[in-house]
Every structure is written in structure tokens, then in C-alpha cells.
Amino acid sequence: MIDTSLAFTTPAGISAWKRWLLYSPLARIVMFALGFYLLSQAIGRLDHATWLHNAARTPWNNGLAYLSIFVLSSFLIYLGLVKLVERRRMVEWSPRNWTGVWAGIIGGVLLFTVAVGALWLVGSYHVTGTNPHADWLLALLMVALGAGIGEEILFRGVLFRIVEEGLGTWGALLISALFFGAAHIMNPGATLWSAAAITVEAGLLLGMIYHLTRSLWPCIGLHAAWNFTQGTVYGIPVSGTHADGWLVSQRTGPDWLSGGAFGAEASVVMLSLCSVCTVVLIVVAVRRGSIVPPCWRRKTSEAISARNPAT
């Protein structure tokens, strides 16, 4: 049975060069990457030539530059890819499904609260004070919404969605998760272990959420809430980046338990919790029959169905 939940399928009856150079998964990923690079460079130079030219290097100025260069560029190029190349409705951004962001937010808050609670129970997480003046608005814009929107466009909206058309769900899940983990390898305090942990716990989990919902809203909600809860609420570094949290905290014990300098994302507690959630989602997907086979298997199914229309 051919899966009909894919957002885009190559139009029938097109020429071979269009099929490979315009509509193939690899071609569209390359187009997005090239367009994103060029536009982000252009916006960055425009920012520096105008309002950033004489502006002080404050956290807010850096944050606004990040939002315009990374988030705005990724969204505009994604919009162009969908509307100009794929020529379809952007169903993964459908306003009708925007309430899914709240399910993601609740899930992100619960995930990190349970993880921190477990670390506290085993004596690894300690609250040493409070910081009611934490700059939560800047964290909300940059670490939560900025990273949540920008990274979900890149890794789920582009990489997972398009790779799934060619290599199927399992191939898309593996590739998008590996790239997601690799993108964090240069973060402060990162190690091969932390990259592997975030590959499994976040890369796989967010990929399965997108697969089951076919919407970016819950992915953005969970990603944003995950970062905000970890950093601004519990005062734990977000993927190695220092967090100005309402709770001033420290973690003790071996790095495999506490997460070390990278933060609780590199903790075996968070890894185990997210892995359980991912397995549950995989079971749901298998039972629903929503797993997309690779394109060559779908073509074989099409050919068999054409020869045996009665089946």
C-alpha cells in the first residue's frame, strides 16, 4: 500500500532532467542549503552594514541578529522551496494544526521536569539559590523560539521530510538524527558522548513526532519548551550554552549521570527517558501502518497493483 501522507510526491509525466535536477530529494535539499547559505549571508551583511554597524555587542543585539540571519533565512527559503518548487500547500505549517504547539510545549516541560526530578532523587541535581531577575525574554526568543523554529525547519521540515520521500521513514529518521547530533558537536562542553546522546534522545524523538503528526507545530513546541525549561527554569546549560535560570543549580556526580558541562541532555537519565518515548511512538507508527517504505519498494508495490488491480 502506497503511503499518502507524504507532503510531496514527484509529478507524473515530467521530463527526466526535471525529475532528477528539480524534484528529486537530493536536488531539493541542495537547493534549500544553497538558498539558505546565500540569503543568510546577504541578511548578515545587510545587518552589519546598517543597524549593527555602530551598535554595541549586547546580548539583545546578538539575539536579534541571530533571529534575522538564521530563523528568518530558513523560513523564507523553506517557503520558497514549498511554493516555487514543490508547488503545494504548506500543510506542515497549517494554521488549523497550530494548537499542536501546546501539546509539544506540555511534553517538553514534562520531559525535562521528570528528568530533573530523577537527577534530584539520585543526588545529582542541587538547587543553590534563585535568580528572579533572569533574562527570560531573551532566552525565550533565542534559545527557545529561535532554535525551536530554525532547527525544526532544517532537520524535520527539510531533512526528515524530504529524505523520507526517497529512503523511507527509517532512513529519514536515522539521517536526520545523525545530522542533528553532528550539529551540536561544536557546542561548548560537547563530546562524542553528548552528540550521540542528543542524536538518540532528541533527533529520533522529534523525527517520530513529525512522522506521526505531519506537522512542525508540536516539534517546535517541544523543542522550545525543552530548551526553555532546561535553561531558564532549572538553570542547566542548554546544549553546553550557559543558562541564566530562575533556579541557580549545580549537578554533581559522573558526567554520564549529570551530563557534565554539556548539560542534562548528555545524562543517561534524559537519554533513557526520551528513548522510552521514542520506542512508544515507533510502536504507534507501526501499528498505524504509517511507516513509509523506500521509494524503490513503493514503485514495486505500484507495479504489482497495476498488474493485479483486483488486489
Side-chain angles (χ1 to χ4, degrees):
M1 180 178 178
I2 301 173
D3 190 274
T4 58
S5 61
L6 293 174
F8 174 80
T9 53
T10 304
I14 61 171
S15 59
W17 77 266
K18 281 187 176 182
R19 179 177 297 275
W20 290 106
L21 297 181
L22 187 62
Y23 293 119
S24 70
L26 180 59
R28 281 179 287 136
I29 290 173
V30 170
M31 279 189 282
F32 175 86
L34 181 60
F36 172 71
Y37 173 78
L38 293 175
L39 183 59
S40 62
Q41 289 292 311
I43 292 178
R45 292 185 179 184
L46 180 62
D47 285 349
H48 285 282
T50 54
W51 65 278
L52 277 180
H53 182 65
N54 294 315
R57 285 293 185 178
T58 65
W60 272 99
N61 284 338
N62 291 336
L64 292 174
Y66 167 79
L67 291 175
S68 65
I69 294 171
F70 177 56
V71 181
L72 182 61
S73 296
S74 60
F75 180 77
L76 290 178
I77 296 301
Y78 188 77
L79 179 64
L81 178 70
V82 171
K83 294 299 183 181
L84 300 179
V85 178
E86 297 177 348
R87 298 185 180 183
R88 62 177 179 84
R89 290 176 54 245
M90 205 154 62
V91 291
E92 60 273 30
W93 281 97
S94 174
R96 292 181 300 176
N97 299 324
W98 78 269
T99 52
V101 76
W102 292 108
I105 288 172
I106 293 171
V109 171
L110 287 176
L111 267 175
F112 237 94
T113 298
V114 171
V116 170
L119 289 171
W120 175 76
L121 285 174
V122 298
S124 178
Y125 178 79
H126 313 275
V127 176
T128 59
T130 59
N131 179 22
H133 304 294
D135 197 350
W136 63 270
L137 183 56
L138 181 61
L140 179 65
L141 290 175
M142 282 189 62
V143 181
L145 293 178
I149 295 172
E151 292 182 13
E152 289 313 304
I153 289 174
L154 265 62
F155 294 104
R156 259 59 65 176
V158 175
L159 200 55
F160 180 93
R161 178 181 66 83
I162 297 179
V163 171
E164 190 180 32
E165 297 171 18
L167 301 182
T169 301
W170 302 132
L173 194 62
L174 177 62
I175 290 174
S176 63
L178 286 173
F179 272 88
F180 187 71
H184 293 78
I185 192 64
M186 299 303 292
N187 285 27
T191 63
L192 288 177
W193 162 254
S194 68
I198 208 165
T199 294
V200 174
E201 67 194 23
L204 297 182
L205 178 61
L206 288 164
M208 283 309 303
I209 290 173
Y210 175 79
H211 169 80
L212 284 171
T213 63
R214 296 298 174 187
S215 172
L216 286 174
W217 291 114
C219 301
I220 290 170
L222 189 142
H223 197 148
W226 171 309
N227 286 356
F228 189 82
T229 304
Q230 177 179 201
T232 306
V233 176
Y234 294 116
I236 299 172
V238 180
S239 301
T241 304
H242 172 75
D244 187 23
W246 287 321
L247 295 177
V248 180
S249 66
Q250 63 178 11
R251 286 157 296 113
T252 58
D255 286 355
W256 62 264
L257 177 62
S258 68
F262 191 78
E265 290 163 317
S267 167
V268 70
V269 172
M270 195 65 184
L271 177 63
S272 301
L273 180 62
C274 292
S275 296
V276 170
C277 294
T278 300
V279 169
V280 170
L281 295 181
I282 289 174
V283 171
V284 171
V286 170
R287 289 184 175 179
R288 283 186 183 179
S290 65
I291 301 298
V292 179
C295 62
W296 56 89
R297 286 184 54 192
R298 300 202 301 275
K299 290 178 181 178
T300 301
S301 298
E302 286 177 347
I304 293 175
S305 297
R307 289 197 300 267
N308 303 285
T311 60

